[in-house]
Amino acid sequence: MFVMTIDQKGSSQADDGVPGLLDLLRQVPSVVPFERSVGDEAQGVLDAPEAVVDATLLCLRAGNWYVGIGVGDVELPLPATAREGRGDAFVAARAAVERAKKAGDRATVAVEGGSGTAEAEGVLMLIGLHVMKRTAAEWRILDLLEPGKWGTQTVAARHLGITSQAVSKAVARSAWVEEWAARPAAAVLLRRADAALRK
């Protein structure tokens, strides 16, 4: 099981970003929905590593968030709210988000919970760094593309009134193809880390 604890950067000087974050994360499948846990922090429980990858990259794209991912057991029955949850994954998520706050210029994500989490964290950090560095102009193009579907670059170019070459350059510059190639690897590593705890 996976618990995500997500904490707002510089919240004492910024507006409350949690409501917007919860709106953003509503699209991510979870077994206990994301909710405000305390102050400027949100928490949710997920059972699919692909959903963890999606949520992580949505947070890193949005900016201003530290992402902690805890891998481990969650006490059953599942709680009605994340605030009521207990178990090793909650403890690991807390440790992870505190470590993510020390990331400096790197992607602000950390994974805790036992064997294999360091490898999952490494892949998420590499992908996340590309996601965080993208410009608004690049996102305007990338949001129109569909991973693995031939011809979407041409459609995006037509929709935006730009050349296909401009779209291709934005895709290459932003490492979009590499991101979608690496997402499954991050999910596999998270799944392995979770499975290792169940042996």
Side-chain angles (χ1 to χ4, degrees), residues 67-151:
V67 181
I69 301 165
V71 183
D73 291 331
V74 172
E75 287 186 11
L76 298 175
L78 287 173
T81 68
R83 283 189 304 253
E84 299 168 359
R86 296 172 54 106
D88 293 341
F90 283 93
V91 175
R94 168 61 48 209
V97 79
E98 292 304 324
R99 199 160 52 76
K101 293 176 184 179
K102 300 172 184 165
D105 293 333
R106 295 173 291 139
T108 53
V109 58
V111 186
E112 292 276 348
S115 176
T117 55
E119 292 82 356
E121 179 180 308
V123 175
L124 284 170
M125 287 180 71
L126 283 172
I127 303 170
L129 197 57
H130 288 294
V131 168
M132 291 170 66
K133 287 184 174 181
R134 291 176 185 155
T135 66
E138 287 169 342
W139 278 116
R140 195 166 58 98
I141 294 168
L142 300 179
D143 283 338
L144 296 174
L145 304 180
E146 197 172 328
K149 187 170 180 184
W150 182 259

Side-chain angles (χ1 to χ4, degrees), residues 10-60:
S11 57
S12 58
Q13 293 88 30
D15 293 336
D16 182 6
V18 173
L21 177 69
L22 296 178
D23 283 343
L24 184 67
L25 294 176
R26 201 163 278 125
Q27 64 187 288
V28 177
S30 59
V31 293
V32 179
F34 284 95
E35 65 168 355
R36 185 189 299 271
S37 51
V38 61
D40 54 1
E41 189 177 275
Q43 198 167 53
V45 181
L46 303 88
D47 61 357
E50 296 82 4
V52 175
V53 174
D54 289 345
T56 299
L57 298 179
L58 283 169
C59 292
L60 295 179

